[in-house]
Amino acid sequence: MRQARVFVDLDLEAGNVLSLPTPAVLHLVQVLRLRGGDGLMLFNGEGRDYPAVILDANRHRVEVRLGEPGPPEPPLPLQVHLGLGISKGERMDFALQKAVELGVAEVTPLFAGRAVVRLDGERLTKRLEHWQGVVIAACEQSGRRRLPRLHPAETLESWLTKGHPRPLLLDPSADLPLTDLPPPGPALTILIGPEGGLSPAERERAYRAGFAGVRLGPRILRTETAPLVALAIAQSQWGDLRD
């Protein structure tokens, strides 16, 4: 049986005894059915895994003792910032989950003109919290010890003005395939539109902001598929999937 691996927003230090936060307690006790004496792995997103042993567990409280941490997660050889048009529930969750598994460094959810999702106020706050949970769960599953940064959602127009390293726009009509791109250096920015794609005016804005158009192949991909393909290509050519 695979050992449980759980994110906790706590300071971790070998030898310390900790009471875990309520979400972790519910997951470990009610879902995984762990009990006193069971082992697990904890991480707080800062780069190391900490083995732990459960000292006491019930429905309301889990107390653990931390062991010596494992090695730090190596730095990413390619820092990819994904600007992702906001899409409907499961599609956005899927794109975020797989982007984390493929080693994305940063993600900014973007409001674009053709987006079918409209969020503001409390709904936006709750959705951002949900997306952060998706990122954390993907790190727990994939073994990532550092959390990718999930930026607050913003408009595409605002995001384009901020300046980004080696900015690329996924554009099915572009002449240059992503596979033919010369090595981009240590950082790369990839812009992907929402379900309806970017409008001609938005694409033109991106080009004026310095983005270079690249295509992934002969087919138009869904907004939740395009990040997977783009990240897999980038990581296999210049990132940590080369070895």
Side-chain angles (χ1 to χ4, degrees):
M1 180 179 175
R2 182 178 176 181
Q3 188 176 50
R5 185 167 181 272
V6 177
F7 171 83
V8 289
D9 189 13
L10 299 171
D11 292 331
L12 302 179
E13 185 175 342
N16 281 4
V17 173
L18 298 177
S19 291
L20 300 186
T22 299
V25 171
L26 296 176
H27 180 66
L28 293 172
V29 174
Q30 297 188 18
V31 178
L32 300 181
R33 306 291 185 183
L34 297 189
R35 296 293 182 263
D38 289 337
L40 70 154
M41 200 70 70
L42 299 178
F43 73 108
N44 61 3
E46 295 181 358
R48 292 177 183 266
D49 279 338
Y50 284 76
V53 175
I54 296 177
L55 302 178
D56 182 50
N58 57 54
R59 294 181 59 187
H60 307 290
R61 185 169 177 268
V62 171
E63 191 174 77
V64 303
R65 185 185 301 277
L66 299 178
E68 292 294 329
E73 181 176 286
L76 294 170
L78 181 66
Q79 298 277 332
V80 181
H81 185 169
L82 183 63
L84 184 61
I86 295 173
S87 55
K88 287 182 180 178
E90 290 187 359
R91 291 183 176 181
M92 190 70 176
D93 291 358
F94 182 86
L96 283 173
Q97 180 190 71
K98 302 310 175 186
V100 172
E101 291 178 22
L102 286 165
V104 75
E106 303 178 56
V107 180
T108 303
L110 297 173
F111 293 105
R114 291 179 174 174
V116 298
V117 178
R118 295 290 182 263
L119 297 169
D120 55 19
E122 186 177 352
R123 289 185 64 221
L124 177 57
T125 298
K126 289 183 177 179
R127 190 62 61 89
L128 286 168
E129 291 173 353
H130 171 76
W131 290 335
Q132 184 65 45
V134 172
V135 169
I136 289 171
C139 286
E140 291 175 338
Q141 181 276 324
S142 65
R144 292 189 68 171
R145 285 157 276 173
R146 298 186 190 278
L147 290 184
R149 184 175 180 185
L150 178 65
H151 293 275
E154 62 178 300
T155 64
L156 172 63
E157 186 173 5
S158 170
W159 186 75
L160 289 174
T161 66
K162 294 186 174 179
H164 302 282
R166 196 62 171 95
L168 301 177
L169 166 64
L170 293 192
D171 184 348
S173 64
D175 294 328
L176 180 68
L178 180 58
T179 50
D180 289 353
L181 190 75
L188 184 65
T189 306
I190 301 176
L191 170 58
I192 300 173
E195 287 136 305
L198 298 178
S199 70
E202 288 171 329
R203 289 200 301 273
E204 181 59 30
R205 243 184 254 121
Y207 285 129
R208 287 202 307 267
F211 280 70
V214 293
R215 57 184 169 84
L216 297 179
R219 290 168 291 278
I220 297 175
L221 303 180
R222 289 181 179 272
T223 186
E224 71 270 28
T225 309
L228 280 64
V229 177
L231 284 166
I233 291 172
Q235 295 286 30
S236 63
Q237 297 211 143
W238 313 296
D240 58 9
L241 294 183
R242 287 178 298 175
D243 299 330

